[in-house]
Structure formats: structure tokens, C-alpha cells
Amino acid sequence: MTDQVTRRQVNFAYLSDQRITQAFSGEWKVVKTPVWVQYTRGSGDVFDLSLRAVRGNADFQALTQPSLTGEIVIAWKSKENGQSGQTSWPVSLNMYQVSGTTAPHQTSGPDARSETWTPPAAQSSTQDYIVTYKTRAARDTGVLAYTRQALRAAPSVLSIQVSAAPPADPLGARSAMVHGLSQADVGATRRDPDVLSVEPNAELHLQSNEMSPLQAPLEPSDQYYPNQWAMRLLGYPAVWRDMATTPYQHPVVVAVLDTGVRYDHPDLAGVLLRGVDGAIDLIPREKSDDDNGVDSDPTDPSFLGRTMGSHGTHVAGIIAARWGTFTPPCAGCSSSGVVGASYTAPVKILPIRIIDATGTTTIAETVNGIRYAAGLPITVGGSTFTNSTPAQILNLSLGSLMSAETAAPLCDAIAEVRKKGVLAFVAAGNFGTSTVNYPAGCPDAVAVASVTLSKSGAPEHSSFSSAYPQVQLSAPGGAGSSSAAFNGSLLNGTPFPDDIMSTNWDYSKNLPNYSGMSGTSQATPQVAALAALMLSKGVTTNAEDTLARLDATATDLGQPGRDNQFGYGMIDPVAALGAPAISAHEGIQVYADDGHTYGALMNGNTFVSYLPEGSYTLVYGTDTNGNSTYGEKGEAHTAKRFVLGLENPDVKLGFLNH
């Protein structure tokens, strides 16, 4: 028998592991496998290959099929006879699946029933007509003539019953309603020189369409808004519609403790507080990269050779970039840019510069920034500073891995401002681990994790986002990978990745620009912005109420209840602000406990979803805020828990109703 790697069919079925061995003397290697097959080589001189199927690695198209197929290609060279070649193994794998039926909406009650409207029968050749005359006098003469004609046609006057309709009635100023005209009478009447028209007494019917309770979404026309998928995922078109009809009148200040900002960015004109209002640069002279140390100008500086963009400018734009057009700062520059969440609400940004151009700060600078932002006095270099415009909201898109002991001054500062009624929203960290990041891990901080878009277009945990018990809320922060582009938008003709688009600065050209960035740094201002809007509208009035409402209205993702990846869930601005419904779609999403999200295939009222092994929550519900996420707080829904695996490969949920 020829010494070679033999051809075979590899069928995992519902299993996840296969081991293939055979007698073979020579060299061999795996040239190709499907993305959902991993392999390891055994030791020794024989052919020994262990295969593992990872259903979660399948691409989105494959996840719409009950089974996956592909091929494994082995290249080999025989030591025995010197022959060589490639052997292809067809490989298949069954997906686990869940299915069911969405039951029709059912109600009961003795005072309600279904009625069928029956269209009227075709009109006969003898009809009622409306005759319109040139004058009222001609109309009266005509009515009298029809009456006399009817009397002459009757066998006797007594045969005309009192209840019978008269042959003609005056109608309006010049018309008469004439009953029972034959087609010959119609022709004769139309030839009368005093008659303008003879028309059937046409019927009007009920129009069954009622006024829709849905309001139209309000979306801006700014150039890069189509790339701002996070705004739509959070339902802001419904929130902005609410702002157009409901006063958001209470002024709110959000302190952005970051790298500073670019006051000369036209998309931030009018929303950035300046030094006279309390803005400050707290980087000491010995560390300064703007040559002047602590002062009232928190501009993110430009210097020779700088290439990094302005992180603080990016964060500020997520909260409050202006709507509408402006004079473009250069030929080819945008004249409208992006939009921030705040729209017409009186939300202002207080820039506090504590991070230098390399992206570095210290505990001392951060502590001073936190206390100063809340209106507490601080001392730097022997001088005392007090903020004249204390903020109600702090945004700290920063952090580091350190011990709780090292972070104690940070936690003390956040606890101190919390007692003053100030909420500090802090990035949970981009380490993708369960290690606590500080100051997000401080007891009084509000740690914010990141979500991005799944292959089905629904929110799921960002792989880079740190997950630990102190995580309290989550918000769109992007995918952190240029290969993820599930938002469907294009930028310069190519798919725009699932980054957060916002204002930035091009230091090489010294001009404003726009860029997509990913991180919990981008998720945190989404939550800070919503908290500011809640205070501005007046749905909450203090820090504790605001945080409680954020938690209570968040969309629960992943495992039911609070978990380390999402906290209480992804913020829901529409529910938190009580914005109006702008859609009434229904759909299904499947949330895995590991943070991934999947969709379902619908065929009429039946559904099926092909999934990897794992524990899941299936939600069937409505989408009233137009964000394609079904069954959020305030939206009708039902949820079902189930587990898929070798012992439960095909789960049938039966009828679902909400």
C-alpha cells in the first residue's frame, strides 16, 4: 500500500473534538482549515492530528445555516517512497439551534369584536342625483316641476305616503337633491339651459386608518452623522424629537478631565467654557508641553513633531458637538462635521487639562482635577484655585492598573465630590481582563464598559473592554478592530469600522478634523451626556436619582441582571428621558452569557437561530425607539432562558407572546 495521508470525511456532527491518527512515515503539515476548526499536532512519528470545532468563529453567513461545511487540506511527503501530495478532507459541523413561534397578539373582552366591512352594491340604473342650477330661483322652479311630475305619475294623491321622500329637496344655495331619476330624465335635465350640472349623489366611506401615535425621528444632516452609528443604537433620533417639543431648559456643566480641547474647532464653537468660567490647565510647569504650567487655558497644545490627535476634543464632541453648518476652516474641510448628544439642551463642557500630549497624567493631577471640577479648592505650587462654575457631571476617560492602596487618594476625591452631589463617570479600561482599573474601581465612581455591534447588528460586549464587579453601566465604545464594520456606513467609499466618530485635531496640518476611535474612553462620555440630559430635562434632580434611573432603565445584555461585562446594561436614553415612540417593529435577539449577541431567522411567525454551545437569553419584543434592539425597558417583550450543547442540541421554545 502506498504510504500517504489518506482521504477521509470529517463529520463533527454535534461534537466539538475529533482526533485522527494513521500509520504514516514522513513529513506533513496542515495547509488549510475552515475558520471554525482549530488543530494541534501530536508528538511521535505517526500521523496524529487533534481537531476542535469552534462554532463561535464561524462568519455571519454561516450562522444562518443549520450546518457548516468546508475542507481541511494536508500536505505530505512520504519518507518511505519519496512521494508527496496534498489530501483534501471534507469537513462538516452541525450547529446547535433554538426555534419557536411568535404567537399572534391575543386579547379578550366582551365589549370588543371583529367586524368585516362590506363594500356597497353596484348602483342601479335609477339613482339619486344632485342637480345644480345657475340661480336659486331656477333651483326652486325645478324642484316644483319635479314635484308636479311625481304627482301626475301617481294613481291618486292618496297613494303618496306621508313617510315617503319627496321627489326633490333643496340642497344648499343652488342645488337640489332629486330622487329616482331615470337615465332619460338625467339627459333631459342636463339639456335644461338653467342647469349647470347633474351628478350622482356619490357615497363617501369611512377611512379606517387612524392617526398614528408614532412620531417622526429627528436626524441631523451633518456630513459625518451617517457614520455615528452609536447615536442611532442609543435611540437618539427619538430623544432629539423629544427636545424639539419638550423643554430641556436646566443648564448643566460636564467637566471633561482629559488632554484639554481645541477651542478653534468650529464644531465645538459655543459649547466649551473658557478660563473666565473656570476652565483650567493643571499640568505643572515641570511637566508642561505648552511652556506655561498651570493656567486658565486648557488648550491641547501643538508643538513640532506632534502626531497624536486631541483625545479631549474627541470626548467633548461626543457629548456636545454642535448641529448644523459653519464656515469650513479650509478648502475640502467639512462645513458641518458630526453631532453631539446634547443637541439644543443647555449642556456646556468645562475642559480641565490633566493629561499631557503623550497621554499621561498622575494621581496628584487627577485628584486635583476631580476636586477642582466639583468646586472644591485646590492648592498647586503654593497657589489656591477654586472653580467658579462647578460641574454636576465629571467625565474621566482615563485609568490605570494599580492596587486599591495606590488608588486610595483617587477614591477619596471621588467620594468627596459624590457627597457634594457630583457624579464621576470613569472608563472601565481597555485591558480585556478581569483586573480592576482605577479610578473606575473606586466605590463611588461609575465604571463604564464598552459595547459594539455584533454580526447581527445588535449590541454586544467589546472584546477589549475590561470586565469586573465594579462595572456599573455600558455604552457604545466601538469594536477596537478595523475588521469589524457591521454599522453599514461608508467613509470615502470603504466600510467605516465600528469606531465612534467625533471631533479631533490634525496636528500635522494644524487643522480641525474628524476621526473614529474605540475604547471605554468613548463609551464613558455617552453615559455622561445622558446624565446631563436627564438633569437638563428635569426627569431627575440630583446625583442619586440620576444614577438610580440610569441603572433602572438600562438594557440588560448578557447574563440576566447585573454582570461584570455590562453592569446593569447598556444605557437607554429613550427610556431614561421618556422620549416618544418613533417605531413599532418586532423582532428577536439572542444574548449569550459570554457577551456575544445573535439574531434569528424569521419565516412568518416561526423563528430559528443557529448558535454555538452556551447559555442564552432570547428576547422577543418591540422596538419603539428605532434602534433595532428589541424589548428594552418600556418596550413590550418576553424573555426565555435556555442552554445549548451536546445534551441539548435543539431547543424548542414553543409559542412566545408579549
Side-chain angles (χ1 to χ4, degrees), residues 195-248:
V195 171
L196 289 176
S197 65
V198 182
E199 299 296 336
N201 183 26
E203 294 179 339
L204 285 74
H205 302 289
L206 290 173
Q207 302 300 298
S208 60
N209 292 334
E210 299 178 359
M211 289 291 293
S212 172
L214 300 179
Q215 296 195 28
L218 179 59
E219 298 190 87
S221 58
D222 296 54
Q223 182 174 353
Y224 299 120
Y225 171 70
N227 303 116
Q228 293 185 269
W229 57 270
M231 295 296 186
R232 294 184 292 279
L233 179 63
L234 293 178
Y236 269 103
V239 171
W240 296 328
R241 172 58 62 194
D242 187 44
M243 287 187 197
T245 57
T246 305
Y248 282 56

Side-chain angles (χ1 to χ4, degrees), residues 7-87:
R7 180 179 172 84
R8 66 186 64 222
Q9 180 90 26
V10 180
N11 182 10
F12 283 94
Y14 288 112
L15 298 173
S16 295
D17 294 285
Q18 295 262 14
R19 184 179 181 185
I20 299 171
T21 60
Q22 73 164 80
F24 176 77
S25 177
E27 301 174 1
W28 61 276
K29 66 178 181 179
V30 178
V31 176
K32 176 184 176 182
T33 67
V35 296
W36 39 270
V37 173
Q38 299 175 347
Y39 68 91
T40 56
R41 290 175 57 118
S43 58
D45 295 333
V46 299
F47 182 93
D48 186 357
L49 181 64
S50 296
L51 301 173
R52 168 157 291 183
V54 183
R55 291 170 174 83
N57 287 350
D59 61 34
F60 180 67
Q61 183 61 35
L63 290 174
T64 63
Q65 305 296 326
S67 62
L68 309 179
T69 58
E71 67 172 349
I72 299 171
V73 178
I74 310 294
W76 53 270
K77 182 177 181 180
S78 172
K79 182 178 179 181
E80 178 182 296
N81 54 28
Q83 290 184 345
S84 61
Q86 287 191 351
T87 301

Side-chain angles (χ1 to χ4, degrees), residues 132-142 173-175 194-196:
T132 301
Y133 294 83
K134 293 180 179 179
T135 65
R136 179 188 290 269
R139 187 272 313 272
D140 292 342
T141 300
R174 296 180 298 164
S175 300
D194 291 327
V195 171
L196 289 176

Side-chain angles (χ1 to χ4, degrees), residues 267-302:
D267 225 351
L268 296 175
V271 301
L272 302 174
L273 297 178
R274 293 184 175 269
V276 67
D277 299 309
I280 196 169
D281 179 352
L282 289 176
I283 299 177
R285 182 177 296 277
E286 61 269 19
K287 285 188 58 186
S288 175
D289 43 24
D290 61 0
D291 300 325
N292 51 22
V294 177
D295 64 9
S296 60
D297 181 12
T299 295
D300 198 350
S302 177

Side-chain angles (χ1 to χ4, degrees), residues 5 130 146 206 252 378 420 464 477 487 495 590 592:
V5 175
I130 296 176
Y146 284 120
L206 290 173
V252 180
I378 62 171
K420 284 187 91 274
F464 60 77
N487 65 81
V590 183

Side-chain angles (χ1 to χ4, degrees), residues 375-649:
L376 298 171
I378 62 171
T379 300
V380 183
S383 298
T384 299
F385 302 89
T386 304
N387 178 16
S388 60
T389 312
Q392 297 99 312
I393 305 292
L394 310 187
N395 187 97
L396 292 99
S397 292
L398 52 83
S400 182
L401 299 178
M402 62 180 73
S403 67
E405 292 75 19
T406 302
L410 292 168
C411 296
D412 289 345
I414 291 176
E416 191 175 9
V417 302
R418 181 70 169 269
K419 289 179 181 178
K420 284 187 91 274
V422 178
L423 286 172
F425 296 99
V426 189
N430 302 334
F431 302 100
T433 67
S434 59
T435 304
V436 180
N437 189 57
Y438 285 96
C442 294
D444 291 289
V446 183
V448 179
S450 172
V451 301
T452 188
L453 295 176
S454 70
K455 296 172 182 178
S456 65
E460 70 175 19
H461 178 70
S462 299
S463 60
F464 60 77
S465 186
S466 297
Y468 44 84
Q470 290 89 334
V471 169
Q472 185 152 355
L473 291 162
S474 51
S481 169
S482 60
S483 64
F486 304 127
N487 65 81
S489 71
L490 300 177
L491 178 63
N492 299 322
T494 60
F496 180 69
D498 297 332
D499 293 337
I500 305 302
M501 178 70 88
S502 186
T503 48
N504 212 328
W505 194 263
D506 184 343
Y507 284 95
S508 64
K509 298 178 180 177
N510 201 32
L511 286 171
N513 71 349
Y514 301 87
S515 69
M517 299 175 68
S518 287
T520 52
S521 282
Q522 280 60 50
T524 305
Q526 310 271 5
V527 186
L530 175 55
L533 291 178
M534 293 164 68
L535 292 170
S536 183
K537 186 178 181 181
V539 295
T540 56
T541 58
N542 58 58
E544 300 311 315
D545 287 350
T546 300
L547 187 56
R549 189 170 176 87
L550 284 169
D551 293 344
T553 57
T555 299
D556 190 9
L557 304 174
Q559 300 179 47
R562 183 173 180 172
D563 58 67
N564 293 352
Q565 293 179 319
F566 302 101
Y568 286 103
M570 183 182 75
I571 58 168
D572 184 347
V574 175
L577 293 165
I582 61 171
S583 71
H585 303 299
E586 293 185 333
I588 289 174
Q589 264 137 14
V590 183
Y591 300 108
D593 285 4
D594 65 6
H596 287 94
T597 305
Y598 303 90
L601 301 174
M602 300 293 298
N603 182 12
N605 279 359
T606 64
F607 67 87
V608 64
S609 189
Y610 302 109
L611 303 164
E613 55 269 74
S615 298
Y616 296 90
T617 302
L618 182 144
V619 175
Y620 164 52
T622 58
D623 168 28
T624 61
N625 60 21
N627 69 344
S628 298
T629 303
Y630 305 99
E632 296 177 284
K633 295 295 170 63
E635 297 177 341
H637 70 278
T638 187
K640 295 287 187 180
R641 288 284 291 171
F642 62 95
V643 177
L644 289 175
L646 191 58
E647 295 182 358
N648 302 289

Side-chain angles (χ1 to χ4, degrees), residues 286-341:
E286 61 269 19
K287 285 188 58 186
S288 175
D289 43 24
D290 61 0
D291 300 325
N292 51 22
V294 177
D295 64 9
S296 60
D297 181 12
T299 295
D300 198 350
S302 177
F303 51 83
L304 186 64
R306 179 170 182 179
T307 57
M308 289 179 63
S310 177
H311 190 270
T313 299
H314 199 270
V315 168
I318 293 170
I319 301 170
R322 54 176 285 185
W323 285 40
T325 60
F326 45 78
T327 302
C330 70
C333 287
S334 177
S335 61
S336 58
V338 296
V339 299

